[in-house]
Amino acid sequence: MAPFRVTLADVARRAGVSRTTASFVLSGRTDMRISPDAQRRVHEAAAELGYRPNQTARSLRTHVTRTIGLISDTIATTQFAGEVIHGALDTALERDYLLLVAETSGDPVAEKKLVDEMLDRQVDAVVYAMMYTKPGHPPGSLSGLPVVVLNGIEESFGGPRILPDELGGGRTAARALVDAGHRDGIYAIGGRHRTPEAPDGVYAGRLRMQGVDEVLADAGTSIAGAYECAWEPEHGYDGMLSLLDDGHRPKALVCLNDRLALGAYQAMQERGLRVPDDVSVVSFDDSDLASWLRPALTSVALPHYELGKTAVATLLDGTSERRLVAVPMPLRSRDSIRMVPATAG
Amino acid sequence: MAPFRVTLADVARRAGVSRTTASFVLSGRTDMRISPDAQRRVHEAAAELGYRPNQTARSLRTHVTRTIGLISDTIATTQFAGEVIHGALDTALERDYLLLVAETSGDPVAEKKLVDEMLDRQVDAVVYAMMYTKPGHPPGSLSGLPVVVLNGIEESFGGPRILPDELGGGRTAARALVDAGHRDGIYAIGGRHRTPEAPDGVYAGRLRMQGVDEVLADAGTSIAGAYECAWEPEHGYDGMLSLLDDGHRPKALVCLNDRLALGAYQAMQERGLRVPDDVSVVSFDDSDLASWLRPALTSVALPHYELGKTAVATLLDGTSERRLVAVPMPLRSRDSIRMVPATAG
DNA sequence: CCGTCTTGCTAAATCGAGTTAGCACGCTAA
DNA sequence: TTAGCGTGCTAACTCGATTTAGCAAGACGG
């Protein structure tokens, strides 16, 4: 069943040296005085036999598996996890690491089991990822192992936390509107997303809105109105209709994510409003949806891939003393914002 | 750095037996005659110390790692991979297996590297997944290991292949329309999706259309027209406009995936056609999009989760002689199909 | 009283690497 | 001639489990 594998002993035999010597040569230890000739013979034998060290055996001795655990609460929903895994894997593979991937589905029992399984396999380090910014911290059994938290906003966790720069993202979104000349009639849909657990609003909502407010203030204006609601398409639809029914006439819309923008598009289409001619729209996340909508949506991207890369890099470099790493959220400009003549302040 | 770990020797010492005896007891070998009293002491010691076997050490001896490699060409795009991983992981974890996840990005060099890394870590088996049904087979270095191919339509591969039952899915879609009373004016958008590589059409396209044709024929009717194109939103948009401009008046639409349906929705909205009052729509994939559209889209689901589960189960059961496993595509009924009075054949 | 069988256990080998301690040889210097 | 030293290499141990081979003590039969 298991394919035949060349061992170090095979290499040593063919090179006419001991296993010890072969090991020294192949692990590049210069402190052990091996003649150039013997080195050459070992390297040749290894190349000819296509030798690759058995990582399991090596791990037993060295306690290093070159394997990182990636634990997330949810893999399935949205493309988030896919891109995070992709980024994490690329960075891991650059350094000959591999990823054990698992998800807890938010279930502590499942989490315990899967953390135990990872510990049994001696993972070197763990990325503990949450699919959106929220409280949460790795279980105690992971203490003693290098861990970074991705998207965790619980400050009690002592290790590095990797987060999207939501504040900067909010600024970027507002700047996109301001740069296009918008000053009046700028509305927000979604807002801070207050929930029973987060009465001040969800982390991303708070910071995005704060960034928007700052930039608008700098431009000598402010939000004309905000519709506070949850962040699914139906709420965007309801929110836009509600604004219009209340007599508001938005000229620009900040949708707190792309799904809300989809809902708002649907509502505007029903009411005969055209994007961007009547209403400019800027949004967040840059999901697939953004490029599918007509007109395509200008959106401030969640840097999933970069988050994954940064998480693994932070683990493997280890030198970073930073406890909080904010990853920039870049603007993806498309067709949903119209240039308008700037109005005098 | 590495957390303190209890070893088998610790357990044996505390139970007052040899490591050999402890090993026999804990691995439940009944052929070795251990007294009930000794068994009890070993179990107690293990429980009290919280002993868990070091899987690395065990693997070195047994050549079994209880770890499965999941290699896919693309993880990021669509939710496909996320759900596949989810299903695969659930089934793996049930049996105390874990998943090493990696993606090739379609790059043979990356693929070689990552396959080598997996082999170095002695994975027990591999799921070789493609994100949509297409040709492709695992590299030769994986021969000698149990491998299943997910979504691969290359028949030359000798092992089990797991595929969505596209033919059945096509039938299901058509039946949804027929059951609602539709007989005339049934159009398809997307069609077989012929490409230079697949002049007869993409695998999914061919089989879905075949299933549709069969059911319509059984109902004494047939497709009124099909717009052949690629499967992105813009093509759905163009396709629908093109049909209307050519004087067609569809009463029902089979969109070969949800993104095409999104495009078709956009076109219909521009032309003042209403779903489902003027046009019923059925689609494939059941992506997030399907539930976001207004009205929500009835769609034949790609069973991603089940595909992942089935792939791992097939690997671990090993007994299945089936070379081809077709996983059913269930209908997700929503609001895009209207009941119409059946016309006499 | 001796040989044989069963019961209940353990010493030692093994997996495939990495690592420590030290040996044999030749050269130099006293 | 012999101690001392550097060079170039290897024997043996280690990691933490599994597994093979076999030992000691008691029971039993003749």
Side-chain angles (χ1 to χ4, degrees), chain B residues 2-334:
Chain B
F4 170 77
R5 253 198 168 241
V6 174
T7 71
L8 186 61
D10 297 327
V11 174
R13 198 165 19 248
R14 173 178 260 252
V17 299
S18 69
R19 293 187 351 261
T20 307
T21 300
S23 175
F24 284 150
V25 171
L26 293 177
S27 53
R29 285 184 52 165
T30 53
D31 57 329
M32 287 314 282
R33 298 187 305 251
I34 311 291
S35 68
D37 185 58
Q39 297 202 23
R40 185 187 48 72
R41 280 181 288 132
V42 169
H43 282 301
E44 280 181 12
E48 285 163 17
L49 297 175
Y51 170 72
R52 292 186 62 92
N54 179 324
Q55 180 63 50
T56 304
R58 178 182 278 185
S59 298
L60 178 59
R61 186 67 233 257
T62 61
H63 301 288
V64 171
T65 53
R66 302 192 84 78
T67 302
I68 293 177
L70 172 51
I71 302 177
S72 83
D73 49 358
T74 317
I75 291 181
T77 317
T78 80
Q79 86 214 94
F80 180 102
E83 286 284 4
V84 168
I85 295 176
H86 188 184
L89 181 68
D90 278 359
T91 302
L93 214 51
E94 278 171 16
R95 304 165 190 213
D96 301 337
Y97 275 74
L98 238 38
L99 251 35
L100 275 174
V101 174
E103 75 173 322
T104 67
S105 306
D107 171 6
V109 176
E111 175 170 290
K112 176 176 183 346
K113 164 147 192 174
L114 130 203
V115 165
D116 281 345
E117 293 286 350
M118 286 190 175
L119 291 175
D120 292 349
R121 287 168 182 74
Q122 311 267 99
V123 291
D124 295 337
V126 167
V127 177
Y128 190 84
M130 279 160 287
M131 285 308 106
Y132 59 95
T133 47
K134 62 173 181 186
H137 59 274
S141 46
L142 282 178
S143 68
L145 221 55
V147 177
V148 302
V149 167
L150 206 162
N151 255 344
I153 57 171
E154 191 155 305
E155 297 183 12
S156 68
F157 173 68
R161 290 184 294 130
I162 321 290
L163 286 161
D165 179 12
E166 305 280 3
L167 180 63
R171 292 196 188 112
T172 301
R175 195 134 41 221
L177 293 178
V178 167
D179 287 352
H182 285 282
R183 291 294 182 282
D184 316 316
I186 302 180
Y187 285 77
I189 290 189
R192 288 168 175 73
H193 193 352
R194 300 173 203 276
T195 66
E197 301 84 46
D200 290 342
V202 146
Y203 175 86
R206 277 200 328 270
L207 287 182
R208 288 175 185 179
M209 287 308 295
Q210 181 185 335
V212 167
D213 289 341
E214 281 179 19
V215 167
L216 292 188
D218 282 355
T221 178
S222 65
I223 280 281
Y227 183 84
E228 288 279 342
C229 57
W231 287 12
E232 296 307 317
E234 61 207 86
H235 309 114
Y237 178 83
D238 294 343
M240 190 63 196
L241 289 187
S242 159
L243 283 180
L244 294 174
D245 288 345
D246 288 356
H248 297 284
R249 291 292 171 266
K251 294 182 187 163
L253 227 50
V254 178
C255 293
L256 271 291
N257 75 13
D258 294 337
R259 301 197 298 285
L260 287 166
L262 166 64
Y265 266 52
Q266 290 163 335
M268 286 188 275
Q269 217 142 11
E270 282 190 13
R271 294 299 173 91
L273 290 171
R274 299 190 64 94
V275 178
D277 301 332
D278 301 316
V279 183
S280 288
V281 180
V282 64
S283 164
F284 291 89
D285 288 5
D286 187 40
S287 60
D288 285 341
L289 208 48
S291 58
W292 292 343
L293 290 179
R294 304 188 69 89
L297 192 55
T298 292
S299 189
V300 178
L302 272 177
H304 300 307
Y305 180 84
E306 285 298 332
L307 285 168
K309 279 192 90 68
T310 306
V312 170
T314 303
L315 277 178
L316 293 186
D317 293 343
T319 53
S320 165
E321 283 306 309
R322 286 196 294 170
R323 282 284 163 248
L324 199 75
V325 183
V327 180
M329 297 179 65
L331 182 71
R332 306 273 183 243
S333 286
R334 298 202 180 80

